[in-house]
Amino acid sequence: MTAETRSTPPTTARTGAISRICGSIRGSFRAKLFTVTAAMIVAISTIFAVFFITHHRESEEEKLVTEGRLLARLLANHARVALFAGNVEQLREIADGAMATPGALSVTIFDRDNRPLVTVTRSADGSAEPAPAQEAASAGKPGLRRTGRRIEFSEPVVGSARATRESDLFFETGGTGGALAPLGSVRVVMDEEPIHRRLRSMIATTFLAAALFLLAGCGAVYGVIRGVTRPLTHLAEGVRAVEAGGSATIPVESSDEIGELAASFNRMVEAVWQRRREREEANRRIAELNARLEERVRERTAQLEEANRELESFNYSASHDLRAPLMRLNGFCQALEEECGDTLSRECRDYLRRIRGVSGQMERVIAAMSTLFRVQRRELAPRELDLSAMIRAIAATLAEGEPAREVEVTVEPEVMVCADTELLWVAMENLVGNAWKFTARTERGRISFGRAWRGGETVCYLRDNGAGFNMAYSGKLFQPFQRLHRPDEFPGTGVGLAIVQRVVARHGGRIWLESAEGRGTTCYFSLPPCPPPLERDDAMPHLDGVEA
Amino acid sequence: MIELNVLLVEDNDDDRYLATRAMKKLSRPVRLEIARDGAEALRRLEGDGTPPAPQLPSLVILDLQLPRLNGSDVLERLRHNPATRELPVVIASSSDHPDELDRCRRLGAAGFIVKPLDAAKLEGLFATLAV
């Protein structure tokens, strides 16, 4: 286990290096193309060189063998007479002459009994020299024998068996008639070394040429590859730049497909930027328009608010300024009654009573208007309050005012709302007052207050079984001074519901009425719920956790 | 019963008439002085700055809505003057004017009365103030 672990790292490192190289080749198109091209050049060069060298070597060897065989045959022919005569001197001359052939390493002439008579060997400096005859001829037959880098050629020397003189041999033509008798044999040793030397130098030259070819080929291919990959690199950089949100123009280096690609890319980038500029321009214009619009809205709002304030102020002052003379009128009526009451006729006293009645009506209208304006002007101070308790208190006050009436009041307990106490009191006074008023002619009047689920929210309702009204007129309900009953049926200013509606609206709630003539009215209204109280545990959980 | 010295500050002729009539109807003797606006009232109460200081009334009935200096402004001046700081001032108005009434309450108005004045209202006021 441990040994394996120890032996692992070098292997891993090696594998890692190889895989890195393979990875870079796989990852780079240039490296891939380059590798394939170089491998092809190397393979072609190698095949060519091997074929060429092999062929050359074979032809050279064939040439050497032919030369050797010819030399041996010539030597045998020349040596025939001298051998027949046993003229060693002549044989030596003949052997020396044979040694003039390049490539001949040694020449040996054997006698009939296979004894070497003459041996000439090429010395180290290249000159032929006689050597002592040592070895016996291996065979008297013509043949070829290779030993190391030498080739031995043996050729028998034959003459006619009938020849008795040297001259017989001169005119003899080989093999035309009569038996031949061996006279001896020659052996020529040819050296293959020069061939090998030439081959070696040729191999070296070939390799050099191949290397140069590879270099030149790679150079040329590199140029082509660069022509392909450089625009690709530019394109990739351009795409990255555009991706990062910038702009990029890449050089168009050629008019071929790659150049066309680069030009298309440039056009695309320009189009994208053009579109972006247009969009930014449009956005800027929209923002400008919005800003101008907002400014105008602000201006208009300010103008409206100012106008509203003036109107409210005017209304408020008007209601007050109307009230003062009315009070004076009342005062003078009272003075008239006090001073001259006894002297006035019954009719005049009735006029006086009516004047005071009218004055009272006007006072009530002005008071209602004043309340309406106050409801609109007052700054809200909302807080949590018990609406049920408020309704019960108002109902109790009404009951005290008219102890003779028997009205059943049902109130759902503890309905909590978040509202301005004073405004809500004014509103509920009007609302409960209405219910009280409109049940005046109903036997066993009932008023109930509670909560109900309407329109996706919890709303409050106040229901009575009083006179009710025709829903066809419900659109006029919240307009000030709009009345749905005659004064002799039910008295009132027609401002009450307008006040209630404004109070509810100012709290962000909504209000509507459902009614039918003779069957009572239900008023629904919503008020914002109180925000949940912040508990200490919820507010600071981390601190508690740390302390724990 | 001692005579009550009252200064009425009122700009409206009708209101002055009704107030004067009501004073006459009272069961106790009242000496009524009239000032027709805030400046006149201050001149009467503070004098021209040279001794002797003017004799102060037992009570001032001050209308809230007066031209130029209104009722609450006059009351503020009186409250800042050591000579008139303790003087009982009753605010008279024809209707509720919550902001102004609040201001007067804070400035220490002795009471409030709704116009027009009549004998019953005045009797009640005097009883409450114990003057």
Side-chain angles (χ1 to χ4, degrees):
Chain A
M1 181 75 185
T2 357
E4 275 171 26
T5 314
R6 266 201 300 274
S7 68
T8 308
T11 320
T12 319
R14 209 163 40 240
T15 319
I18 290 166
S19 71
R20 259 202 307 282
I21 291 165
C22 290
S24 78
I25 288 174
R26 269 200 296 275
S28 160
F29 176 67
R30 187 183 297 191
K32 222 182 290 180
L33 208 56
F34 201 77
T35 309
V36 169
T37 313
M40 266 172 69
I41 290 174
V42 167
I44 290 169
S45 305
T46 309
I47 288 167
F48 262 103
V50 166
F51 177 76
F52 181 67
I53 289 166
T54 312
H55 181 76
H56 189 78
R57 181 199 163 125
E58 276 172 4
S59 76
E60 286 278 310
E61 271 185 0
E62 208 172 307
K63 206 171 112 194
L64 191 71
V65 166
T66 311
E67 268 179 10
R69 199 168 276 153
L70 198 64
L71 186 63
R73 202 161 283 172
L74 276 173
L75 194 62
N77 212 14
H78 284 158
R80 200 163 46 149
V81 175
L83 201 60
F84 184 79
N87 189 344
V88 174
E89 278 307 308
Q90 199 181 352
L91 284 175
R92 187 168 299 277
E93 275 172 28
I94 291 166
D96 277 342
M99 282 303 284
T101 309
L105 204 59
S106 70
V107 171
T108 313
I109 301 172
F110 299 91
D111 66 1
R112 189 171 303 172
D113 301 321
N114 237 355
R115 283 192 302 261
L117 294 174
V118 176
T119 301
V120 182
T121 310
R122 195 183 293 276
S123 65
D125 58 358
S127 63
E129 65 177 29
Q134 296 165 333
E135 42 179 328
S138 56
K141 298 176 286 185
L144 183 149
R145 195 159 65 93
R146 286 173 192 272
T147 47
R149 293 197 166 170
R150 294 167 178 200
I151 309 174
E152 289 178 18
F153 297 89
S154 298
E155 189 72 27
V157 181
V158 290
S160 173
R162 287 170 302 176
T164 51
R165 289 172 302 158
E166 287 174 38
S167 59
D168 292 343
L169 293 170
F170 276 113
F171 306 107
E172 201 175 56
T173 50
T176 47
L180 292 173
L183 296 174
S185 64
V186 294
R187 191 179 63 184
V188 174
V189 176
M190 297 297 280
D191 191 7
E192 271 190 322
E193 186 55 36
I195 298 178
H196 283 279
R197 229 181 359 252
R198 276 199 300 280
L199 274 177
R200 271 200 299 276
S201 99
M202 186 174 280
I203 287 170
T205 313
T206 310
F207 267 103
L208 194 66
L212 285 174
F213 180 52
L214 182 66
L215 211 63
C218 285
V221 165
Y222 182 75
V224 173
I225 291 173
R226 209 170 130 78
V228 174
T229 56
R230 209 162 69 143
L232 287 181
T233 312
H234 287 320
L235 191 62
E237 280 167 4
V239 168
R240 271 198 295 276
V242 170
E243 198 177 35
S247 171
T249 306
I250 60 172
V252 180
E253 290 171 340
S254 58
S255 58
D256 54 10
E257 292 91 334
I258 290 170
E260 180 54 33
L261 179 65
S264 299
F265 175 79
N266 285 345
R267 281 196 297 276
M268 185 197 78
V269 170
E270 183 48 39
V272 166
W273 269 92
Q274 180 63 29
R275 235 167 284 163
R276 185 182 294 183
R277 275 194 295 274
E278 282 168 9
R279 201 177 55 218
E280 276 168 8
E281 175 63 19
N283 281 346
R284 195 185 57 73
R285 243 180 263 164
I286 288 171
E288 212 176 83
L289 283 175
N290 275 345
R292 218 178 298 160
L293 191 67
E294 273 171 28
E295 198 180 327
R296 280 176 65 179
V297 166
R298 265 199 301 277
E299 273 173 25
R300 289 286 156 84
T301 310
Q303 286 170 0
L304 270 177
E305 278 172 358
E306 179 59 30
N308 242 353
R309 261 198 304 278
E310 279 175 17
L311 195 63
E312 279 174 12
S313 176
F314 172 78
N315 286 336
Y316 192 65
S317 308
S319 69
H320 278 84
D321 291 349
L322 285 174
R323 194 179 155 89
L326 188 66
M327 292 292 109
R328 277 171 216 133
L329 185 67
N330 258 344
F332 284 113
C333 284
Q334 192 184 341
L336 188 62
E337 207 173 350
E338 281 170 11
E339 302 292 332
C340 329
D342 302 336
T343 56
L344 286 175
S345 67
R346 216 172 129 247
E347 205 176 7
C348 285
R349 274 209 302 279
D350 190 44
Y351 291 155
L352 202 57
R353 188 183 59 76
R354 281 176 182 277
I355 290 170
R356 294 201 71 171
V358 170
S359 167
Q361 275 170 32
M362 209 164 155
E363 197 184 331
R364 279 193 295 279
V365 169
I366 288 169
M369 273 171 72
S370 179
T371 307
L372 190 62
F373 298 138
R374 197 175 76 228
V375 160
Q376 276 167 316
R377 281 161 63 101
R378 189 184 149 82
E379 212 155 289
L380 289 184
R383 60 183 198 81
E384 188 178 25
L385 50 91
D386 187 346
L387 186 53
S388 306
M390 188 182 275
I391 303 257
R392 269 197 297 269
I394 293 167
T397 311
L398 290 167
E400 270 173 35
E402 286 181 80
R405 277 188 60 186
E406 273 184 30
V407 178
E408 183 191 328
V409 179
T410 321
V411 176
E412 182 184 322
E414 286 177 10
V415 175
M416 306 303 288
V417 293
C418 200
D420 183 285
T421 314
E422 192 188 320
L423 286 194
L424 197 64
W425 182 275
V426 173
M428 290 305 121
E429 226 172 21
N430 277 288
L431 208 55
V432 180
N434 275 351
W436 185 267
K437 181 167 71 184
F438 291 116
T439 47
R441 297 182 177 199
T442 310
E443 270 186 59
R444 302 168 60 83
R446 280 196 308 276
I447 297 173
S448 59
F449 167 77
R451 278 176 300 190
W453 182 256
R454 289 285 188 288
E457 62 176 336
T458 305
V459 297
C460 300
Y461 69 85
L462 189 80
R463 181 173 295 142
D464 65 64
N465 61 345
F469 60 87
N470 187 339
M471 284 295 278
Y473 304 113
S474 63
K476 293 183 168 188
L477 281 173
F478 300 124
Q479 291 174 18
F481 308 111
Q482 286 291 336
R483 305 205 62 242
L484 301 184
H485 300 92
R486 291 202 317 270
D488 60 318
E489 291 172 335
F490 297 102
T493 56
V495 177
L497 274 179
I499 290 172
V500 178
Q501 191 261 341
R502 277 157 181 72
V503 169
V504 172
R506 285 206 61 191
H507 284 88
R510 57 200 187 97
I511 180 167
W512 72 99
L513 273 75
E514 289 172 7
S515 185
E517 273 179 314
R519 277 192 280 165
T521 302
T522 306
C523 175
Y524 294 96
F525 60 95
S526 64
L527 286 168
C530 289
L534 280 178
E535 285 172 29
R536 191 179 164 272
D537 285 359
D538 291 342
M540 293 189 289
H542 300 298
L543 281 183
D544 287 353
V546 167
E547 280 161 19
Chain B
M1 193 169 274
I2 52 163
E3 190 184 55
L4 201 59
N5 229 335
V6 175
L7 173 67
L8 175 71
V9 188
E10 175 61 70
D11 61 321
N12 187 282
D13 182 51
D14 293 327
D15 279 339
R16 279 204 301 274
Y17 182 91
L18 287 169
T20 311
R21 178 177 172 271
M23 296 286 180
K24 283 178 188 155
K25 295 241 164 200
L26 290 175
S27 52
R28 60 191 288 185
V30 174
R31 201 169 78 83
L32 186 66
E33 275 183 90
I34 304 278
R36 277 171 301 181
D37 61 24
E40 197 182 324
L42 287 174
R43 267 201 305 282
R44 158 70 185 84
L45 292 171
E46 293 177 341
D48 52 6
T50 54
Q55 182 81 35
L56 291 181
S58 345
L59 179 71
V60 178
I61 296 178
L62 182 60
D63 182 24
L64 197 57
Q65 282 171 298
L66 291 169
R68 297 180 289 274
L69 275 179
N70 71 18
S72 55
D73 297 331
V74 173
L75 179 59
E76 190 172 8
R77 273 280 293 274
L78 294 177
R79 285 296 171 261
H80 282 107
N81 186 342
T84 56
R85 185 174 290 156
E86 302 300 326
L87 184 63
V89 177
V90 172
I91 301 296
S93 69
S94 50
S95 67
D96 56 339
H97 230 301
D99 300 346
E100 287 294 298
L101 291 182
D102 262 1
R103 188 174 170 215
C104 295
R105 200 169 286 127
R106 280 198 303 277
L107 286 169
F112 297 90
I113 192 164
V114 178
K115 292 197 289 184
L117 303 187
D118 62 26
K121 283 179 190 170
L122 286 174
E123 296 275 15
L125 179 73
F126 294 157
T128 312
L129 293 178
V131 286

